[in-house]
């Protein structure tokens, strides 16, 4: 089917009948194809959004590669984080109106309170629907208003990376202005965490394998950087930089042996927010050290819509702008996934014209 003959308009709504959508026919980026499918029609409590931008998370690379153990149904639409404008609403929609600028929530239907079971509230771009398409139709409860001061490209970075950092630093990590935060790496979550910590005047240390990235991160308020390749036992550097006290909060990204180093680096009664398991999903910890330090291990898994809305208000108030490493055209989405796999300084975003 040729695209030029598929643009018949619904003249009343000025919405095309067909749209372009990226779909996986099987695991592997080589199976990601741009297809033409019908534009969905919103049900009574649903909203049709014209997608403006989609940001990628490392999880999206893992899902497209192997499904992360989830029984995905093909064809599968990847990605969970999007921004866009409401173009059509169902008959019983009350939260949005036409032209509202919105962003997706990462976990479908998690409004507030404790996290629900994945069976009840699946994550978008996983067991829930993906958003790498020109139009996305979702229940109104799965969306939130975008920050007023950010562009659509910037807003698209918030649902997963931004909110994960918000939960780790503020809602779960309880970081205070007189405390020290250690962020690991320069991905989206880590840089968001640094920006949030800087907004309250906290002391920020960063570990990275790249001196160049450490230098770039200093513009975000990093007080000191530690090259973990040159300093494999980076926990000793944290001790030196804090006069032996250790860090009050550590954003743990790797797991495995790195988690043990985080335990060495954390202060008495400090917190370790476990966000990623980039090295390994399993770890062995010396329980006596956990007990003697009276440290807390916090499992961070994104957050609710209420938390997302609180974060968006905070971002507007403090004029925080997400760090974006690269922006790709919609037609070049596979290149964006390649960039994600290589590693990014901040976020990789796909802009949909």
């Amino acid at each position: 089917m040729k695209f030029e003959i598929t643009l018949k308009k619904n003249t009343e709504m000025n919405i095309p009948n067909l749209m372009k959508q990226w779909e996986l026919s099987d695991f592997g980026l080589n199976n990601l194809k741009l297809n033409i499918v019908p534009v969905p029609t919103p049900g009574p409590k649903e909203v049709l959004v014209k997608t403006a931008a989609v940001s990628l998370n490392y999880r999206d690379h893992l899902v497209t590669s192997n499904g992360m153990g989830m029984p995905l149904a093909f064809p599968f639409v990847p990605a969970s984080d999007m921004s866009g404008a409401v173009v059509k609403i169902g008959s019983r929609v009350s939260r949005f109106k036409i032209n509202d600028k919105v962003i997706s929530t990462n976990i479908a239907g998690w409004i507030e309170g404790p996290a629900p079971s994945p069976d009840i509230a699946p994550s978008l771009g996983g067991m829930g629907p993906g958003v790498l398409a020109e139009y996305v139709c979702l229940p109104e409860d799965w969306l939130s208003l975008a920050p007023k001061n950010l562009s659509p490209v910037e807003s698209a970075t918030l649902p997963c990376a931004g909110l994960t950092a918000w939960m780790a630093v503020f809602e779960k990590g309880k970081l205070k202005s007189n405390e020290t935060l250690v962020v690991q790496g320069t991905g989206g979550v880590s840089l968001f965490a640094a920006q949030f910590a800087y907004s309250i005047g906290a002391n920020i240390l960063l570990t990275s394998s790249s001196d160049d990235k450490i230098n770039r991160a200093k513009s975000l308020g990093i007080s000191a950087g530690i090259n973990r390749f040159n300093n494999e036992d980076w926990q000793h550097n944290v001790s030196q930089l804090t006069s032996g006290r250790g860090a009050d909060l550590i954003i743990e990204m790797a797991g495995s042996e790195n988690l043990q180093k985080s335990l060495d680096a954390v202060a008495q009664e400090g917190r370790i927010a476990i966000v990623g398991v980039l090295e390994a999903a399993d770890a062995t910890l010396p329980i006596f050290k956990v007990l003697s330090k009276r440290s807390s291990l916090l499992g961070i898994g994104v957050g609710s819509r209420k938390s997302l809305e609180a974060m968006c208000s905070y971002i507007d108030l403090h004029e925080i702008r997400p760090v974006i490493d690269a922006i790709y055209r919609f037609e070049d989405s596979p290149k964006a996934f390649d960039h994600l796999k290589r590693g990014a300084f901040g976020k990789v975003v796909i802009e949909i014209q």
Side-chain angles (χ1 to χ4, degrees):
M1 181 182 295
K2 294 183 178 180
F3 182 65
E4 59 265 24
I5 66 172
T6 65
L7 292 180
K8 180 181 177 181
K9 299 279 186 177
N10 177 330
T11 55
E12 180 181 350
M13 300 298 298
N14 198 30
I15 299 170
N17 294 326
L18 299 172
M19 68 175 186
K20 291 182 285 185
Q21 175 172 276
W22 284 96
E23 297 178 342
L24 274 177
S25 58
D26 201 348
F27 295 126
L29 194 57
N30 58 311
N31 294 310
L32 184 63
K33 306 297 181 185
L34 187 59
N35 294 328
I36 295 177
V37 300
V39 173
T41 300
K45 294 285 287 181
E46 293 181 331
V47 172
L48 182 66
V49 178
K50 180 172 173 42
T51 313
V54 172
S55 76
L56 298 182
N57 302 292
Y58 194 75
R59 169 182 175 269
D60 297 318
H61 158 64
L62 297 177
V63 170
T64 56
S65 298
N66 55 41
M68 293 182 65
M70 293 181 285
L72 304 182
F74 297 106
F76 170 77
V77 179
S80 61
D81 296 5
M82 56 78 71
S83 67
V86 174
V87 294
K88 193 172 185 179
I89 60 177
S91 60
R92 295 170 52 201
V93 167
S94 59
R95 297 185 62 243
F96 301 105
K97 61 183 184 299
I98 301 299
N99 292 326
D100 276 349
K101 303 300 187 293
V102 296
I103 56 177
S104 57
T105 56
N106 189 271
I107 298 182
W110 182 9
I111 309 302
E112 61 180 317
S117 164
D119 296 334
I120 299 173
S123 59
L124 272 64
M127 294 301 292
V131 299
L132 196 52
E134 290 183 308
Y135 290 85
V136 175
C137 186
L138 296 172
E140 64 171 339
D141 284 342
W142 297 12
L143 297 165
S144 176
L145 287 173
K148 297 177 182 178
N149 296 334
L150 298 187
S151 70
V153 166
E154 292 171 321
S155 293
T157 68
L158 301 178
C160 182
L163 185 54
T164 297
W166 172 266
M167 299 298 293
V169 171
F170 290 141
E171 293 203 21
K172 299 295 185 182
K174 308 293 185 184
L175 186 69
K176 299 179 179 63
S177 60
N178 62 342
E179 292 185 326
T180 294
L181 168 72
V182 171
V183 293
Q184 299 175 357
T186 55
V189 174
S190 295
L191 296 189
F192 268 119
Q195 289 177 290
F196 289 142
Y198 182 72
S199 73
I200 61 170
N203 181 45
I204 310 160
L205 309 179
L206 178 140
T207 69
S208 172
S209 60
S210 165
D211 285 334
D212 176 64
K213 289 183 177 180
I214 289 173
N215 290 330
R216 290 170 68 185
K218 288 181 179 178
S219 66
L220 302 176
I222 304 297
S223 59
I226 304 165
N227 188 315
R228 61 183 180 87
F229 274 4
N230 298 337
N231 302 276
E232 186 174 340
D233 293 324
W234 57 265
Q235 68 273 25
H236 301 318
N237 299 80
V238 172
S239 179
Q240 293 168 2
L241 290 167
T242 57
S243 301
R245 184 175 183 278
D248 299 282
L249 176 63
I250 297 177
I251 308 296
E252 172 61 46
M253 299 299 299
S256 189
E257 293 180 2
N258 195 72
L259 180 55
Q260 296 190 37
K261 295 176 182 179
S262 290
L263 182 58
D264 288 335
V266 77
Q268 288 292 122
E269 299 192 17
R271 293 88 66 199
I272 301 174
I274 303 174
V275 171
V277 287
L278 296 179
E279 291 184 1
D282 297 320
T284 301
L285 287 178
I287 299 301
F288 180 75
K289 183 171 288 186
V290 175
L291 295 174
S292 64
K293 282 200 166 187
R294 296 165 178 80
S295 54
S296 300
L297 303 181
L298 309 171
I300 307 296
V302 205
S304 68
R305 193 187 76 201
K306 182 178 180 180
S307 295
L308 179 65
E309 291 166 346
M311 180 194 69
C312 288
S313 297
Y314 188 91
I315 284 173
D316 270 338
L317 179 64
H318 292 270
E319 299 182 346
I320 294 172
R321 307 203 77 88
V323 179
I324 296 174
D325 196 19
I327 302 171
Y328 289 86
R329 299 187 311 152
F330 185 58
E331 291 76 10
D332 295 329
S333 293
K335 295 181 180 179
F337 277 89
D338 280 334
H339 188 145
L340 181 73
K341 182 180 179 181
R342 294 193 306 270
F345 184 86
K347 296 295 294 179
V348 175
V349 182
I350 297 166
E351 188 172 24
I352 302 173
Q353 300 294 335

